[in-house]
Amino acid sequence: RVHIMILVCNFSVIADIYNHALEDPTVEICGALLGSKSSDTYWHCMEYMRMRNTEISSKAEVYYTPKPEDLFNVLSKTTHMHDDADYDLVGIAHTHPRHHPIPSTTDLNYAGYEGVYIIFSPMYRSMTAWYFDGVIREFNEAQIIIQN
């Protein structure tokens, strides 16, 4: 059964991902998508939090590993660590600097959280979204709706 997922994003989130990616389009960037899990089908993303990629040199062109303190800061703002937090972790964004924005085997093997995974390709100026349920090792294409 394919799970239909729609992520409603503030325009500023998409702009932040785009700007982050273009600061150095030769390496993978990563960040967290914070918002609310409104229902089983519609989630809302209100904030993008940058995370630094700890990979160095040529590995950073094809991999990202968030800096541990950045990931901790993200999780500390979410219901992953505090039931009364303002945000849920609704997903992760990263880039594929030289490839189309389609999940790689590495993306699938290392996806660690249920959520929407946004992939942006600076080379192709293209963005896609994929839902991972946190259990079955597969991505299903998700839709992004952009709002002001």
Side-chain angles (χ1 to χ4, degrees), residues 4-25:
I4 304 299
M5 179 56 68
I6 298 169
L7 184 66
V8 179
C9 282
N10 290 351
F11 176 79
S12 62
V13 168
I14 301 302
D16 288 347
I17 294 167
Y18 185 86
N19 291 331
H20 188 193
L22 294 183
E23 285 175 13
D24 189 348

Side-chain angles (χ1 to χ4, degrees), residues 102-123:
I102 298 167
S104 65
T105 302
T106 301
D107 292 335
L108 189 57
N109 288 338
Y110 288 95
Y113 297 97
E114 177 191 16
V116 175
Y117 287 71
I118 291 177
I119 305 172
F120 175 65
S121 170
M123 176 178 278

Side-chain angles (χ1 to χ4, degrees), residues 21 24-29 57-63 94-102 119-126:
D24 189 348
T26 64
V27 299
E28 287 206 12
I29 59 96
S57 68
S58 63
K59 281 189 78 176
E61 293 177 11
V62 292
Y63 294 105
H94 77 284
T95 55
H96 286 181
R98 290 175 171 55
H99 301 283
H100 290 283
I102 298 167
I119 305 172
F120 175 65
S121 170
M123 176 178 278
Y124 294 101
R125 296 292 201 269
S126 180

Side-chain angles (χ1 to χ4, degrees), residues 1-7 37-43 90 114-116 129-136 138-143:
R1 171 175 107 79
V2 174
H3 184 91
I4 304 299
M5 179 56 68
I6 298 169
L7 184 66
K37 296 179 178 180
S38 315
S39 72
D40 288 343
T41 304
Y42 285 91
W43 289 358
V90 296
E114 177 191 16
V116 175
W130 304 85
Y131 174 71
F132 173 65
D133 71 4
V135 179
I136 299 170
E138 68 180 20
F139 282 108
N140 292 300
E141 194 162 8
Q143 291 182 343

